[in-house]
Amino acid sequence: YKVYYEQISNRGSSKWHNLSKDEFKALQNLQNDPSLMIRPADKGGQIVVMNRNDYDMTMFELLNGTEFYHLISSMHVKKMIISVQNEIPDIEKMGLIDESLLRYFLILNPTIPSIQGLPQLHKCLLNPPMRPIVAGRNWCTESISIFLEKNLR
């Protein structure tokens, strides 16, 4: 096994790559193929290249076939956001938090969390089940959650 190193110049700094030009181009072709989904495996550090339709179907079955998830309307999501945004100033008025925490807790334009699946190859190599990962970055409760986690430890 021979590893090829190639030096490229990027604004005065040097970067070394362990892929040849052909290997790098092949990797880019995989990443740009809309029919493929590239995900890290749940355990072991592997990278999984899946058919996008299989990934989508597995995630659809995960979300629709269990007792743990149910569909909510966009109106329900808006009500949750408004509820959180209305409660935070009330907590400040009661003197439980100061103005700096009020500004930290209030997220004015929250992003709705998204879900992705990590293939669990240790359970099955063909059609692996997915481990759901919910990304709640910039959700209306993110800063409160961070504050509670740091202060309740």
Side-chain angles (χ1 to χ4, degrees), residues 29-93:
N29 287 339
L30 283 175
Q31 289 175 330
N32 295 330
D33 187 339
S35 68
L36 298 177
M37 175 61 82
I38 302 173
R39 302 290 306 139
D42 180 38
K43 294 182 179 177
Q46 297 115 333
I47 300 296
V48 181
V49 179
M50 300 178 67
N51 178 303
R52 183 173 292 277
N53 290 335
D54 293 343
Y55 173 84
D56 290 344
M57 183 59 70
T58 304
M59 290 302 295
F60 180 80
E61 290 170 359
L62 172 73
L63 294 173
N64 289 312
T66 69
E67 62 190 82
F68 303 109
Y69 305 101
H70 63 275
L71 186 64
I72 60 173
S73 68
S74 59
M75 184 59 71
H76 186 80
V77 172
K78 289 177 186 176
K79 286 180 182 178
M80 286 191 301
I81 293 169
I82 290 169
S83 174
V84 170
Q85 290 176 339
N86 288 339
E87 290 294 326
I88 294 171
D90 291 344
I91 294 170
E92 191 246 351
K93 287 176 187 171

Side-chain angles (χ1 to χ4, degrees), residues 96-116:
L96 299 174
I97 61 172
D98 60 15
E99 189 177 332
S100 65
L101 273 179
L102 170 72
R103 285 193 308 272
Y104 175 67
F105 288 163
L106 278 178
I107 297 176
L108 300 178
N109 297 308
T111 304
I112 296 174
S114 61
I115 190 167
Q116 297 181 355

